[in-house]
Amino acid sequence: MSRLTAAGIGVTYDGVPVVVGVDLVVGPGEWVAIIGPNGAGKTSLLRALAGTIAHGGVVAVDGVEVSALPRRAVARRIALVAQRPVLPDGMVVSDYVLLGRTPHLGYLAVESDRDVEIALGALDRLAAGGLASRRLGSLSGGERQRVVLARALAQQADILLLDEPTTSLDVGHAQQVLELVDELRLERRMAVVAAIHDLTLAAQYADRLMLLAGGRVVAEGTPEQVLTEEEVAGFSGAHVSIVRGPGGEVVVVPRRR
Amino acid sequence: MSRIVVAVSGAVLLAAAAAAILIGPAALSPGAVFKEVLSHVPFVHIDSGLDPRQSAIVWELRVPRMVLAALVGATLSLAGGAYQGVFRNPLADPYLLGVAAGAGLGATVAIVSVGSGSALVPVAAFVGAIGAVAAAYSLGSAAGGQRSGATLILAGVAVAAFLTAAQTFVQQQNADSIREVYSWILGRLGTAGWSEVALMTPYAVVSVTVIMVHRRLLDVLSVGEEEARALGVRPERVRAAVVVAATVGTAGAVAVSGLIGFVGIVVPHVVRLMVGASYRAILPLSIVCGSAFLVIADLIARSALGPAEIPIGVITAFVGGPFFLVVLRTSRRGVM
């Protein structure tokens, strides 16, 4: 169980700032969704949190600055699921999931039986045990996403960063993936930060939303606070109606002008 | 599946090795040849019944030549597979970063100045090979290549073009030795003896060991540099270690056998098509298949038009090219 703290995160590409002064605290078992239009800086923010790109500001796990830790130690605490993960076609699923054990292994070490067990366990946990001997190139979109999540799970990090985990999935599979993430964060008290472009799904799964526009945080709070018609129109130029579902949940409905 | 592949490849290698020491212009009985080989095993006392000249044909000509072909084939295939891994590029081969051009220049300069028989030729080829990769690496790093393999490849292309131009110039200025230079460039194992084996072995051992211990990390790199970083790996560090090891092995191979093309690019691909994309399977099998391939190619090179020898580089491409196309056609999987 860990708490992720980020303060004053800034990312600059070729002198152009894409993320500016973002502060974020995510506690154990908490889910924060990052929303915002394309190009708002969501992916760059997640990369900065994972430490895979150069950035300004401070990222800390349980008060320890990650920049002071070796890369492997960071990867044992923070797992990142990229927006478009690279899945080598010819690689077998179980070998791919086993890559999640990398941060737990010495530079030249070989996986032990226990590592294999953890990887296969992760696949089973995501109801994907049957895929273990398949090749990555033969998987459907929903299966791919499960396998990628299984790799992150095998990493046994308690902070999970997800970059658009439901892109390219239909509604049913998107829900399945988000349900799985939700179960995992409750079961393992994982802190989850996910960039999600579907506002209704973001509102249904996250405890808090953080609205980014132009690399800055423009609104933050519960879904009810952040998702107002004015706010959505203001940041994305979208015309939407905010209505309430049968359970009182926020539903964002696109409207034709 | 992959167990069958391992068993078959191993059997092919053994059969190729046996054929290579049995077949030759001097007709020797198989039994006597095997006894002769056995008699050199420590603590085995056996008389092959061969006269000293025949015995030398087996032990001083055929066996070292077969061993050298196997060593060179294994090293080039492994280096090629490793390069394809660190650069995530199906066109990568052991000569990617300028090894061939550097060795070519070194050997050409040595041949035109001291003659093709000189012991300086392999040394010059080795130095040229290492120098070319060192130049490509430092240029690539200076241009930001530390974080991206692509810049490094481009630096290698630039260095190779420059050194090839220099080599062509030197060759044209010394037109009388064009034949020797050309024969060196096409690769040959005809002069192979135990001294070449002794020269090559340390480089092969270091190169194979370092690359093999990195095979898990090559799998990690196969998901891309960003994700590898997120898994706690430094791609540039793995790349540096593997490039140095592959370069040392390739330079050693080039020094003793010239520029044998096609082995390093095709063998890892054939293996990949048979066993899938994990480097944990590709690399060890590339060693076995690369040895077998070059032993067979050399056997064809020296017996097809015997007693004349065909340059082995011609055989590897002439036989390897169509073979690769057949494998590619029958496989439904992609190359990377």
Side-chain angles (χ1 to χ4, degrees):
Chain A
M1 281 185 277
S2 299
R3 177 179 302 273
L4 178 70
T5 320
I9 301 301
V11 179
T12 305
Y13 290 138
D14 296 328
V16 180
V18 291
V19 175
V20 183
V22 173
D23 300 325
L24 174 70
V25 177
V26 192
E30 198 181 7
W31 184 328
V32 174
I34 300 173
I35 57 172
N38 295 341
K42 303 187 293 287
T43 296
S44 299
L45 174 59
L46 288 174
R47 286 177 174 168
L49 293 177
T52 60
I53 51 169
H55 60 86
V58 173
V59 178
V61 176
D62 293 334
V64 180
E65 271 189 48
V66 300
S67 59
L69 296 172
R71 279 259 14 120
R72 268 191 323 124
V74 177
R76 285 194 291 265
R77 313 298 300 272
I78 305 177
L80 171 70
V81 172
Q83 184 168 4
R84 276 183 293 273
V86 178
L87 300 180
D89 277 350
M91 192 180 269
V92 175
V93 168
S94 53
D95 282 344
Y96 177 78
V97 176
L98 207 46
L99 297 182
R101 298 304 296 159
T102 305
H104 298 271
L105 298 167
Y107 183 69
L108 298 176
V110 178
E111 298 93 341
S112 64
D113 291 348
R114 188 168 160 272
D115 293 310
V116 175
E117 210 173 281
I118 291 169
L120 294 178
L123 269 175
D124 280 338
R125 177 64 194 83
L126 296 179
L131 303 177
S133 56
R134 292 263 299 274
R135 283 172 195 274
L136 293 172
S138 73
L139 302 180
S140 71
E143 290 168 339
R144 287 164 76 90
Q145 201 59 314
R146 271 166 200 268
V147 166
V148 173
L149 268 183
R151 194 192 87 187
L153 202 56
Q155 210 171 326
Q156 292 184 320
D158 37 21
I159 297 165
L160 183 58
L161 309 179
L162 304 165
D163 194 358
E164 303 278 10
T166 58
T167 318
S168 80
L169 296 183
D170 60 56
V171 182
H173 284 100
Q175 283 176 326
Q176 280 179 16
V177 166
L178 294 175
E179 284 296 337
L180 280 170
V181 171
D182 202 45
E183 285 169 23
L184 293 172
R185 70 141 173 157
L186 295 173
E187 195 176 289
R188 308 187 182 196
R189 307 275 298 149
M190 289 169 108
V192 178
V193 182
I196 300 179
H197 71 257
D198 186 311
L199 300 176
T200 305
L201 287 176
Q204 284 178 5
Y205 287 92
D207 302 312
R208 280 189 291 136
L209 302 186
M210 177 187 253
L211 171 55
L212 280 189
R216 293 169 199 274
V217 179
V218 293
E220 202 180 353
T222 63
E224 290 77 11
Q225 291 167 336
V226 175
L227 291 177
T228 61
E229 285 167 21
E230 302 75 57
E231 200 78 76
V232 173
F235 81 75
S236 64
H239 291 261
V240 298
S241 295
I242 309 288
V243 297
R244 292 301 168 120
E249 70 274 19
V250 177
V251 178
V252 182
V253 183
R255 240 179 354 171
R256 202 172 162 187
R257 27 188 112 186
Chain B
M1 163 66 184
S2 79
R3 241 178 234 166
I4 301 172
V5 173
V6 172
V8 170
S9 321
V12 170
L13 174 57
L14 285 181
I21 54 175
L22 287 175
I23 297 173
L28 304 174
S29 86
V33 170
F34 281 124
K35 278 185 196 155
E36 175 64 32
V37 173
L38 277 179
S39 74
H40 291 275
V41 175
F43 310 114
V44 176
H45 300 285
I46 197 170
D47 181 21
S48 65
L50 295 176
D51 65 38
R53 194 188 63 90
Q54 292 171 321
S55 151
I57 286 174
V58 173
W59 192 251
E60 301 300 333
L61 295 178
R62 292 185 191 171
V63 174
R65 185 165 178 163
M66 179 274 289
V67 171
L68 192 68
L71 274 179
V72 168
T75 309
L76 291 179
S77 305
L78 187 69
Y83 269 0
Q84 287 162 15
V86 283
F87 293 109
R88 296 208 302 133
N89 186 330
L91 287 177
D93 79 350
Y95 305 147
L96 183 72
L97 297 181
V99 166
L105 178 60
T108 306
V109 168
I111 290 170
V112 302
S113 43
V114 291
S116 62
S118 164
L120 274 178
V121 176
V123 177
F126 187 85
V127 171
I130 301 274
V133 176
Y137 209 88
S138 45
L139 281 173
S141 303
Q146 270 299 319
R147 290 184 84 80
S148 138
T151 322
L152 209 50
I153 296 179
L154 293 176
V157 169
V159 167
F162 180 81
L163 295 178
T164 305
Q167 188 265 338
T168 310
F169 178 75
V170 175
Q171 188 183 312
Q172 291 303 328
Q173 293 299 303
N174 301 273
D176 49 324
S177 51
I178 268 187
R179 237 186 111 87
E180 282 111 28
V181 169
Y182 202 62
S183 120
W184 189 88
I185 281 177
L186 283 174
R188 73 272 166 279
L189 290 162
T191 52
W194 286 117
S195 59
E196 277 75 19
V197 172
L199 198 64
M200 172 69 194
T201 303
Y203 299 112
V205 168
V206 168
S207 172
V208 166
T209 311
V210 173
I211 292 174
M212 285 298 283
V213 298
H214 280 85
R215 62 194 193 278
R216 181 180 64 82
L217 291 167
L218 285 173
D219 274 349
V220 177
L221 288 199
S222 69
V223 299
E225 302 205 0
E226 159 140 45
E227 289 186 68
R229 249 182 228 120
L231 286 169
V233 169
R234 291 180 189 281
E236 53 282 352
R237 187 165 129 184
V238 177
R239 192 158 52 223
V242 171
V243 164
V244 168
T247 301
V248 165
T250 306
V254 166
V256 296
S257 65
L259 299 175
I260 300 178
F262 215 67
V263 184
I265 186 163
V266 156
V267 170
H269 280 309
V270 171
V271 170
R272 189 191 316 272
L273 292 166
M274 293 189 298
V275 298
S278 169
Y279 285 94
R280 276 171 274 200
I282 293 175
L283 295 183
L285 258 183
S286 291
I287 296 177
V288 178
C289 294
S291 318
F293 178 67
L294 211 60
V295 169
I296 294 170
D298 184 48
L299 183 58
I300 298 173
R302 68 182 165 85
S303 36
L305 297 182
E309 284 210 10
I310 307 167
I312 188 166
V314 172
I315 300 295
T316 54
F318 196 76
V319 177
F323 175 69
F324 184 49
L325 286 178
V326 169
V327 175
L328 208 53
R329 260 194 79 90
T330 50
S331 165
R332 283 155 185 273
R333 283 174 229 138
V335 171
M336 279 302 265

